[in-house]
């Protein structure tokens, strides 16, 4: 079964780039499916950030599109999130997620990693 | 983008009672691609229901999903202590996924 584990810095300075990686186990990322990121500000709800599909196509939340890049590293069996020009509003728990097909929901989720934007 | 509005914001109930959670979409959800997730404190969300009414493997039958188009419901027939949590709906029917703001089911 697919398992996901996020990693990356827990503290990022304002205006810098947030970079996170999600290691995938139990499945070869080259074989298909789709991969994504969701975030949750402290005490608030879930916000979808974007997905990357087996084809390499990406979809992003419109309000984040200018700052977000999701990419796949097939050799490492992992995928990544980069969010540029961060502010305090980007402080959140970031979850990586998996979907079996373009018509399926997120399952499973990684455990999440808290990223704080502060100087 | 499709906006999902969940109601109520908070449900205060006792164990053994039933819960009805609503999720209303601003436009029709394609193919009823509507999911429900449960999030317990300090944990990642977990998928409960997909396709509006299909349970994931192993989900207790006290959980059921229903609805179509723009109106969806998650019903928990008899609340167990582990069911007190926050529940989110999500639509995945187009390329821009969205979540509802969540309903907290708390112990009365």
């Amino acid at each position: 079964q697919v398992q996901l584990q996020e990693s990356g810095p827990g503290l990022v300075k304002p205006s810098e780039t947030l970079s996170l990686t999600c290691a995938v186990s139990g499945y070869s990322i080259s074989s298909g499916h789709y991969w994504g990121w969701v975030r949750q500000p402290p005490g608030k709800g879930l916000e979808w950030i974007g997905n990357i599909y087996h084809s390499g196509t990406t979809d992003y939340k419109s309000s984040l599109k200018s700052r977000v890049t999701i990419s796949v590293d097939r050799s490492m069996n992992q995928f990544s999130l980069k969010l540029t020009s961060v502010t305090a509003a980007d402080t959140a728990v970031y979850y990586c997620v998996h979907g079996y097909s373009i018509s399926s929901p997120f399952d499973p989720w990684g455990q999440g990693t808290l990223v704080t934007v502060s100087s | 983008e499709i906006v999902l509005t969940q109601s109520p914001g908070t449900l205060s109930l006792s164990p053994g009672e039933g819960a009805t959670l609503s999720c209303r979409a601003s436009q029709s959800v394609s193919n009823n691609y509507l999911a429900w997730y449960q999030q317990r404190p300090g944990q990642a969300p977990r998928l409960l229901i997909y396709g509006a009414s299909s349970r994931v493997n192993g989900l207790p039958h006290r959980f059921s999903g229903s609805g179509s188009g723009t109106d969806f419901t998650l019903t928990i027939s008899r609340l167990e202590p582990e069911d007190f949590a926050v529940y989110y709906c999500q639509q995945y029917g187009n390329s821009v996924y969205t979540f509802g703001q969540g309903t907290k089911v708390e112990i009365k």
Side-chain angles (χ1 to χ4, degrees):
Chain A
Q1 67 189 47
V2 175
Q3 293 183 305
L4 307 172
Q5 179 65 60
E6 305 90 347
S7 63
L11 181 63
V12 181
K13 289 183 169 54
S15 79
E16 295 190 343
T17 296
L18 179 159
S19 296
L20 295 174
T21 296
C22 183
V24 179
S25 58
Y27 184 79
S28 170
I29 207 167
S30 299
S31 297
H33 300 181
Y34 78 88
W35 315 91
W37 291 92
V38 175
R39 69 180 181 179
Q40 184 171 37
K44 297 189 178 180
L46 302 170
E47 180 183 33
W48 173 73
I49 298 172
N51 296 339
I52 186 165
Y53 303 94
H54 177 57
S55 62
T57 302
T58 52
D59 284 315
Y60 300 126
K61 183 179 174 72
S62 57
S63 61
L64 297 172
K65 195 170 186 175
S66 63
R67 299 194 291 131
V68 174
T69 302
I70 297 175
S71 59
V72 166
D73 183 339
R74 299 179 195 282
S75 66
M76 296 293 288
N77 212 43
Q78 63 187 28
F79 61 102
S80 300
L81 169 71
K82 291 191 187 302
L83 181 66
T84 62
S85 305
V86 296
T87 69
D90 295 309
T91 293
V93 175
Y94 285 76
Y95 296 99
C96 57
V97 294
H98 160 267
Y100 287 95
S101 73
I102 199 165
S103 57
S104 64
F106 298 143
D107 183 39
W109 296 53
Q111 67 182 29
T113 188
L114 174 62
V115 179
T116 301
V117 178
S118 174
S119 56
Chain B
E1 86 182 24
I2 296 177
V3 176
L4 299 179
T5 302
Q6 292 187 240
S7 62
T10 302
L11 266 178
S12 297
L13 297 167
S14 301
E17 290 192 294
T20 301
L21 288 67
S22 173
C23 176
R24 179 162 291 176
S26 60
Q27 57 189 276
S28 185
V29 175
S30 177
N31 296 305
N32 293 327
Y33 284 157
L34 191 287
W36 290 93
Y37 299 87
Q38 177 193 66
Q39 187 177 34
R40 296 174 175 143
Q43 296 185 14
R46 69 163 180 145
L47 178 67
L48 302 178
I49 302 284
Y50 61 96
S53 60
S54 296
R55 286 187 206 85
V56 299
N57 288 341
L59 185 68
H61 284 267
R62 63 180 181 274
F63 289 91
S64 63
S66 62
S68 64
T70 60
D71 288 296
F72 300 88
T73 301
L74 175 69
T75 302
I76 311 172
S77 59
R78 287 175 302 279
L79 286 162
E80 297 287 340
E82 61 268 27
D83 300 336
F84 291 92
V86 180
Y87 294 84
Y88 294 94
C89 59
Q90 178 213 21
Q91 68 80 23
Y92 52 98
N94 61 29
S95 61
V96 178
Y97 293 16
T98 50
F99 289 94
Q101 81 279 21
T103 290
K104 182 179 183 180
V105 179
E106 65 176 21
I107 298 176
K108 187 173 181 180

